[in-house]
Amino acid sequence: MTSSEASTQRIPPFVSLGSARAFVAPALAYDYSAKHPGLVAKTTGMMSVSRETSVAGLPNVLDSIDDSSPIARELAHENRRRERLLGRELPKPEKTRIFTVSNQKGGVGKTTTTVNIAAALAAAGLNVLVIDIDPQGNASTALGIEHHADVDSIYDVLINDIPLQDVVAPCPDIAKLICAPATIHLAGAEIELVSLVAREQRLRRAIDVYSKQRAKNGEERLDYIFIDCPPSLGLLTVNAFCAANEVLIPIQCEYYALEGLSQLLKNIEMIQKHLNADLVVSTILLTMYDGRTNLAAQVAAEVREHFPEQVLGAVVPRSVRISEAPSYQQTVMTYDPSSSGALSYLEAAAEIAER
């Protein structure tokens, strides 16, 4: 890495993420190597021409599209979004940013948001750790990390004081992304934590020790830590709030999500008052957005009105590809990097990095 690249990292060019201007013929194949998890253009007997090296006389796909149809307009809009991200540089934070991804309502996209934003930042060359403290272990599954009962996990860190460095494992698809997995043992951790000393601060202490150990070993500093919480406000979530300095709240664009948000904010306020004064709600991400319904637009408008500074401009749509990816033990970034879901999470990751 050159000195000019030391302070900033680059999102992989959107030529590798399926830009409509990136090809003349469909000559694309997947390359899931750890160094470059994106979509890589390969010669398969048909010509593949990037935008930067386009051959004179060859038409661009979008130049010939009649944008009078809704589908064509949507394709053109997605292509413009990709071009805005093309070659954008992401700054490394001055210190490790620790996010708790939380919402006590289930099914709003907490785990999906955690793993995909983490994957997008790691794909840009930043060092990212995902800590899975949800007993279901869905984040561990999505990142391809073993989390059966015989594996040392975040449970052993919280209850048995095993060092965090002994349980983290690398994501097989994305370099610079590591994960502390969750196992079914976490289901009883809420009860076991009650009798332990400094029960609310155990995760925070484990992260501090791990960061010092990395520095001692000459490893690169972590740029981001994302803690995936269970859909509850118990001691596991309290540990996450005490360990973090920022809260990322995914909100499903439906009415029930608004009801749960007020209760979540009251709990965060209590954490700020009694346990972690540095905690702030820095980011709100609208998920499962369906532009065909008035309800989704109304919920989005209401959230933006009440939290104008926190809500990201990026909105994550309902996407089959996002839902399919975990069944292949992947994030949507590697499962289908050309999809609209992958594009939305890349936009969200870039916004977070530049805040």
Side-chain angles (χ1 to χ4, degrees), residues 11 28 50 69 93 142 177 251 308:
I11 287 180
L28 296 175
S50 73
S69 71
L177 178 56
I251 296 182

Side-chain angles (χ1 to χ4, degrees), residues 101-286:
V101 184
S102 179
N103 192 328
Q104 81 272 20
K105 185 179 184 302
V108 299
K110 289 186 298 296
T111 298
T112 300
T113 295
T114 300
V115 298
N116 284 297
I117 288 181
L121 291 169
L126 298 165
N127 296 298
V128 184
L129 166 64
V130 171
I131 298 177
D132 188 0
I133 61 168
D134 186 345
Q136 298 175 86
N138 292 336
S140 307
T141 298
L143 296 176
I145 308 296
E146 287 190 1
H147 59 102
H148 52 79
D150 297 329
V151 173
D152 286 340
S153 69
I154 198 67
Y155 167 85
D156 299 288
V157 174
L158 294 173
I159 305 300
N160 300 324
D161 292 322
I162 289 180
L164 188 56
Q165 64 178 345
D166 292 347
V167 305
V168 296
C171 174
D173 295 320
I174 303 174
K176 293 184 175 291
L177 178 56
I178 57 178
C179 175
T183 61
I184 192 61
H185 298 307
L186 270 179
E190 297 273 0
I191 298 173
E192 295 179 72
L193 279 169
V194 171
S195 61
L196 297 181
V197 176
R199 60 191 182 187
E200 300 93 353
Q201 306 289 340
R202 296 182 73 84
L203 181 58
R204 181 173 190 166
R205 287 208 314 272
I207 291 173
D208 290 342
V209 170
Y210 178 55
S211 299
K212 292 175 182 176
Q213 191 63 45
R214 284 180 65 96
K216 183 179 178 180
N217 295 339
E219 299 177 73
E220 290 184 330
R221 184 201 70 191
L222 290 170
D223 296 307
Y224 290 89
I225 298 175
F226 291 92
I227 306 172
D228 184 36
C229 294
S232 68
L233 296 172
L235 274 174
L236 290 174
T237 302
V238 170
N239 261 269
F241 283 142
C242 291
N245 42 42
E246 299 183 57
V247 180
L248 192 166
I249 305 176
I251 296 182
Q252 184 181 6
C253 292
E254 293 186 2
Y255 175 73
Y256 286 143
L258 294 178
E259 280 195 329
L261 181 59
S262 60
Q263 182 61 42
L264 175 62
L265 294 175
K266 288 178 183 176
N267 281 272
I268 292 173
E269 187 177 340
M270 286 194 295
I271 297 292
Q272 291 169 328
K273 184 181 296 184
H274 300 291
L275 295 170
N276 184 3
D278 297 328
L279 187 67
V280 295
V281 178
S282 66
T283 310
I284 294 176
L285 177 63
L286 299 170

